[in-house]
Amino acid sequence: MRIFGGFRLGEEFFYGEVIDDEVHILENPYWIDIEPTDEITKLSLVEIALPVAPSKVIAIGLNYADHIAEMKRTPLGTPLLWFKAPSSLLRYNGTIEIAFPEHQTDFETELTVVIGLPAKNVTVERAVEHVFGYTVGLDISDRDLQKTEKQFARCKSFDTYTPIGPFVYTGVQVNDLSIELRQNGEVRQHARTSQMIYSVAQIISFASQSMTLMPGDIILTGTPSGVGPIHAGDQLEAIIGDWPPLHNGVGNAR
């Protein structure tokens, strides 16, 4: 497994590869070209920033049968796809700011794909060749707006509503990993990625029939059951497999 991310040291932002307790600084974004510079810094000295800068943030819904049941929905027969605003991305340790505190606003933990090669009309069999790696994502959702507007773009695209990170992982198998959300230390979601209705390969192939997926684009692949409301003061930890947890606090937007 190789580990990549975005980092900040003072006023400087850069992408790098994490090796042991060091960050090896890269010349370019890792999904474009892994070209190391001769600069190395300690991981303990840098701030973990957003590990991605996608042109598109794609989300998939209703991809776990138990979540379909808890939402009182029925399977569609194809992946349910929509877009989230890239401006909704939030780094590790950033604060989720609830846009409407009086609304029910839920967490959803999701395996997230980072595209590495352009993908258009790719087959299921070749789809994973277009993957750079994977990370942990949260799809924060305003249920009040979702119910009244009957579509997902606005209710899931407020600033800070897509926490991502802390890093991106390559050379990993994601077919049967544990996926978990802890809220204030208590387990709220717990499942395995093997329970997904549509696999990563099927999702990429499906999406590529409608649009060109570009390097750096990300796809959130759906959440299992156990979704629930967040409130100011909460601490969330999203965990997939043995990867470092994605940690975020919660507050109210000002």
Side-chain angles (χ1 to χ4, degrees):
M1 180 173 72
R2 298 178 72 178
I3 303 173
F4 298 88
F7 305 92
R8 194 172 296 280
L9 184 59
E11 297 299 315
E12 181 185 9
F13 173 85
F14 53 86
Y15 294 101
E17 181 174 7
V18 179
I19 302 175
D20 298 323
D21 63 348
E22 296 177 333
V23 178
H24 293 238
I25 299 174
L26 300 176
E27 192 72 43
N28 302 301
Y30 56 82
W31 60 87
I32 295 174
D33 179 37
I34 302 176
E35 181 181 349
T37 66
D38 56 2
E39 297 180 77
I40 300 173
T41 188
K42 289 291 187 182
L43 181 60
S44 60
L45 297 179
V46 300
E47 176 186 15
I48 298 172
L50 276 174
V52 293
S55 71
K56 294 185 286 297
V57 178
I58 299 169
I60 300 296
L62 306 181
N63 201 25
Y64 289 78
D66 53 0
H67 178 57
I68 294 175
E70 75 175 351
M71 299 300 287
K72 298 180 172 57
R73 298 289 298 270
T74 55
L76 298 179
T78 63
L80 174 63
L81 180 153
W82 69 90
F83 294 100
K84 300 191 70 172
S87 56
S88 70
L89 293 170
L90 179 68
R91 65 176 178 83
Y92 167 84
N93 268 345
T95 300
I96 300 163
E97 298 183 355
I98 302 174
F100 295 99
E102 68 275 18
H103 291 186
Q104 179 177 331
T105 302
D106 287 0
F107 55 74
E108 297 184 359
T109 306
E110 313 203 9
L111 172 70
T112 301
V113 180
V114 181
I115 298 297
L117 293 172
K120 177 61 178 172
N121 295 326
V122 298
T123 64
V124 172
E125 292 75 20
R126 303 294 297 270
V128 294
E129 297 173 12
H130 299 261
V131 173
F132 178 87
Y134 302 90
T135 188
V136 185
L138 282 170
D139 180 15
I140 305 301
S141 306
D142 184 317
R143 298 298 186 206
D144 289 46
L145 293 180
Q146 186 174 355
K147 290 173 183 175
T148 58
E149 296 183 351
K150 309 301 182 185
Q151 57 83 35
F152 299 168
R154 187 165 83 103
C155 69
K156 294 170 174 279
S157 285
F158 290 101
D159 290 357
T160 75
Y161 275 28
T162 313
I164 289 287
F167 307 118
V168 172
Y169 312 92
T170 67
V172 293
Q173 294 294 323
V174 298
N175 296 332
D176 187 33
L177 293 176
S178 62
I179 180 168
E180 182 174 291
L181 187 285
R182 297 177 186 174
Q183 183 179 33
N184 302 322
E186 296 200 17
V187 175
R188 301 300 189 190
Q189 292 185 281
H190 184 76
R192 301 196 70 83
T193 55
S194 55
Q195 296 172 256
M196 287 167 48
I197 297 170
Y198 300 102
S199 68
V200 168
Q202 289 172 311
I203 290 168
I204 291 171
S205 177
F206 178 82
S208 77
Q209 308 308 312
S210 304
M211 69 197 79
T212 300
L213 304 176
M214 298 302 296
D217 286 349
I218 63 173
I219 306 175
L220 288 84
T221 60
T223 193
S225 64
V227 301
I230 58 174
H231 305 281
D234 283 350
Q235 297 293 319
L236 304 180
E237 277 192 319
I239 307 167
I240 295 180
D242 60 358
W243 306 344
L246 169 63
H247 178 266
N248 295 96
V250 180
N252 292 331
R254 296 179 179 177

